[in-house]
Amino acid sequence: MTSLFDRLEKEEAIVREELDALREKISVVEERLIRLTITRDTLRSLSTDGAPNVDTDPADDSSPLDLDGDENQSAEAAGSGEATEPSASEPLGLKEARERMLELLTRSRRAMKASEITTLIGDLASRSETTRSRLKKLVVEGRVVEEPTGWFAIAPGVAAAESGSEG
């Protein structure tokens, strides 16, 4: 007969695997949503006559603002954060990238993978490892937490300090 602790460990492992699978599905769906949003924004920008496109509703002003407050930028949906359009032709500098990462994580109030953060801050998609490295440095500084491994979120004290400094 297996001990209660062995059964609990097995059940915990099963639940952790299910959670990892769900996180991966969420990541895939969020990436798809980002691409759809970018596609919609691109199609809107291609309107050459300046008149509203037949396929778009001019009253639909639901596209959120980017980190700098400009309209018509790609953004993550479901109120989980705001971001710039990932159309960078040059890599972001260290200071700019760090500011954008902290801003994004503060506004999103959820953990994200480095690849998602890279896209949402407008850096080149090929630089997700650079973003991961920068995030790890922010973890060491105590401004970001990594939990579980590979998922980054704003540190609780930093989030409170950021919201306290607004307005």
Side-chain angles (χ1 to χ4, degrees), residues 83-142:
T84 60
E85 185 173 341
S87 61
S89 59
E90 295 181 13
L92 289 177
L94 175 63
K95 183 177 179 182
E96 179 71 17
R98 286 171 54 100
E99 288 173 5
R100 288 186 183 188
M101 285 186 280
L102 290 170
E103 178 80 16
L104 174 66
L105 291 172
T106 299
R107 289 185 179 192
S108 70
R109 297 184 177 132
R110 67 177 182 86
M112 293 185 225
K113 290 190 166 231
S115 57
E116 180 183 10
I117 294 170
T118 302
T119 302
L120 292 174
I121 64 171
D123 206 352
L124 300 170
S126 62
R127 292 179 45 90
S128 62
E129 287 305 316
T130 301
T131 299
R132 184 182 324 283
S133 173
R134 290 172 175 172
L135 287 162
K136 296 271 189 183
K137 289 178 183 174
L138 289 169
V139 169
V140 171
E141 293 172 16

Side-chain angles (χ1 to χ4, degrees), residues 16 19-20 23 111-113 136 145-153:
R16 287 185 188 277
L19 185 59
D20 288 342
R23 283 188 178 125
M112 293 185 225
K113 290 190 166 231
K136 296 271 189 183
V145 294
E146 182 182 12
E147 192 174 300
T149 302
W151 290 82
F152 298 90

Side-chain angles (χ1 to χ4, degrees), residues 40 43-61:
R40 182 192 65 233
L43 290 173
R44 282 183 180 163
S45 72
L46 294 176
S47 175
T48 57
D49 58 2
N53 192 332
V54 176
D55 295 334
T56 61
D57 180 5
D60 177 23
D61 194 13

